[in-house]
Amino acid sequence: MIRPLRKRSREGVLYTRFPDIQTQLDTLDQLPSQELIERCRVPEKEAGAVPVECVLAFVRREWAAQNHALCEPLLAVLLERLRRRLPRALNLDGKTASLSRSDQAEQVHDTFVAMLIGEANDYDERLDYYEISFSQSIAKLSLTAKRRSRRSIGRQEELYDEDEGELRADVELAIGVFDPFNPDLLQDEIYRSRLPAAMEKLKPLEKRIVEMWRNDVPIDSKDPSITTMTRITGRSEKGIRNIRDRAFAKLRDLLSPEGEV
């Protein structure tokens, strides 16, 4: 069954999908799972391609139901459709990349994925916009990311070695011994009271990855039946570890005695 959208306009009217999208959803919902996956895998420019809004609707439904066998293949399709709509990081020469556009693409990807992950806990009405017009919603998100990128690049923490692109050795050493959820630290009432505010200062995907790490979700696994951070986010194992370590470094600084939360 295809569930209706829940978001309401200021006048109290429920948001609805476009009629052609709703019709396709109702038709596709009658297909066996494997056939649905194969239909969604048809490239967008080919005849018979499933609109991205439909793919998103099925991902949201199956993710909420924790039906990983169907959700994960469809999520892979959705993330590929998303990737094709992100700001292009490469310059026209095809060899060099724009730091600003790369940062914008990362922000858009991470914000969208964080909304999806969050639906494991509660329905996120913001995603209703994307079910109505995915490309337009991503375009608006990209404009917001563009403004933020211009402000953040200038003040970005120097956590990485410019030549290697890896976390600096001193930063990696510091976070290697820092666990924001160490039971000993959580015994401190002041520390415990400051932790939620510090978590809110993380980027959306940083926060979600830290939350998954706290709840013992594995980063990766060879077992396809196990839910992992790599499958949920579409990031590589190395990418997940970098995001986690960056988040830990930020939390360490925010929660230090002289830090400000």
Side-chain angles (χ1 to χ4, degrees), residues 183-229:
D184 292 334
L185 290 174
L186 292 173
Q187 290 297 315
D188 186 315
E189 184 177 350
I190 295 177
Y191 176 91
R192 192 170 62 248
S193 66
R194 297 175 71 203
L195 181 57
M199 289 283 290
E200 291 303 318
K201 288 186 176 292
L202 299 177
K203 290 183 178 180
L205 192 58
E206 290 174 345
K207 180 183 176 184
R208 295 300 185 189
I209 285 175
V210 170
E211 289 173 340
M212 286 190 286
W213 180 87
R214 183 183 187 180
N215 288 294
D216 298 321
V217 176
I219 293 178
D220 201 5
S221 173
K222 293 181 179 180
D223 186 343
S225 67
I226 295 177
T227 299
T228 65
M229 296 189 201

Side-chain angles (χ1 to χ4, degrees), residues 2-254:
I2 301 300
R3 62 186 182 182
L5 302 180
R6 298 187 193 176
K7 187 169 182 59
R8 292 181 179 272
S9 68
R10 293 180 179 178
E11 293 74 28
V13 179
L14 274 173
Y15 279 61
T16 57
R17 304 175 181 95
F18 285 109
D20 61 323
I21 296 298
Q22 186 64 52
T23 298
Q24 290 195 59
L25 279 172
D26 293 335
T27 300
L28 291 166
D29 194 36
Q30 305 305 311
L31 299 176
S33 295
Q34 191 56 43
E35 188 174 347
L36 174 62
I37 292 170
E38 294 305 319
R39 283 288 308 276
C40 289
R41 284 174 174 166
V42 174
E44 285 187 276
K45 293 185 178 180
E46 293 188 11
V50 173
V52 65
E53 290 83 3
C54 293
V55 180
L56 173 58
F58 285 119
V59 167
R60 294 180 75 187
R61 185 183 71 179
E62 302 308 325
W63 174 243
Q66 294 295 285
N67 181 5
H68 303 297
L70 181 53
C71 178
E72 290 183 4
L74 295 180
L75 177 60
V77 172
L78 180 63
L79 292 178
E80 175 59 23
R81 301 278 186 94
L82 171 65
R83 186 189 67 79
R84 293 181 178 277
R85 290 165 171 80
L86 295 177
R88 295 176 65 91
L90 284 178
N91 291 318
L92 293 177
D93 60 13
K95 299 178 182 179
T96 59
S98 162
L99 177 60
S100 177
R101 289 197 299 275
S102 178
D103 182 67
Q104 292 165 36
E106 181 177 327
Q107 284 191 51
V108 173
H109 176 280
D110 291 355
T111 300
F112 179 75
V113 169
M115 285 190 283
L116 282 177
I117 295 172
E119 282 214 312
N121 299 318
D122 195 16
Y123 190 91
D124 193 329
E125 291 184 343
R126 293 175 297 174
L127 286 169
D128 288 1
Y129 288 120
Y130 296 79
E131 281 204 47
I132 293 171
S133 181
F134 188 84
S135 294
Q136 184 177 359
S137 297
I138 291 297
K140 289 182 177 179
L141 194 56
S142 297
L143 285 176
T144 300
K146 185 176 183 179
R147 291 193 293 268
R148 289 176 178 170
S149 178
R150 287 173 176 172
R151 295 195 300 266
S152 67
I153 285 180
R155 63 174 186 267
Q156 188 175 26
E157 293 177 318
E158 295 296 334
L159 300 177
Y160 291 88
D161 181 282
E162 291 184 2
D163 296 324
E164 299 296 330
E166 303 283 352
L167 280 169
R168 293 198 330 257
D170 59 324
V171 174
E172 193 163 15
L173 179 63
I175 60 180
V177 296
F178 177 73
D179 175 358
F181 306 106
N182 185 310
D184 292 334
L185 290 174
L186 292 173
Q187 290 297 315
D188 186 315
E189 184 177 350
I190 295 177
Y191 176 91
R192 192 170 62 248
S193 66
R194 297 175 71 203
L195 181 57
M199 289 283 290
E200 291 303 318
K201 288 186 176 292
L202 299 177
K203 290 183 178 180
L205 192 58
E206 290 174 345
K207 180 183 176 184
R208 295 300 185 189
I209 285 175
V210 170
E211 289 173 340
M212 286 190 286
W213 180 87
R214 183 183 187 180
N215 288 294
D216 298 321
V217 176
I219 293 178
D220 201 5
S221 173
K222 293 181 179 180
D223 186 343
S225 67
I226 295 177
T227 299
T228 65
M229 296 189 201
T230 56
R231 294 190 180 109
I232 291 173
T233 65
R235 296 285 186 128
S236 66
E237 180 178 355
K238 180 179 178 181
I240 294 289
R241 293 185 186 279
N242 278 341
I243 294 170
R244 178 203 61 189
D245 292 348
R246 183 170 65 215
F248 279 9
K250 290 180 179 179
L251 289 174
R252 179 204 59 202
D253 292 341
L254 289 166

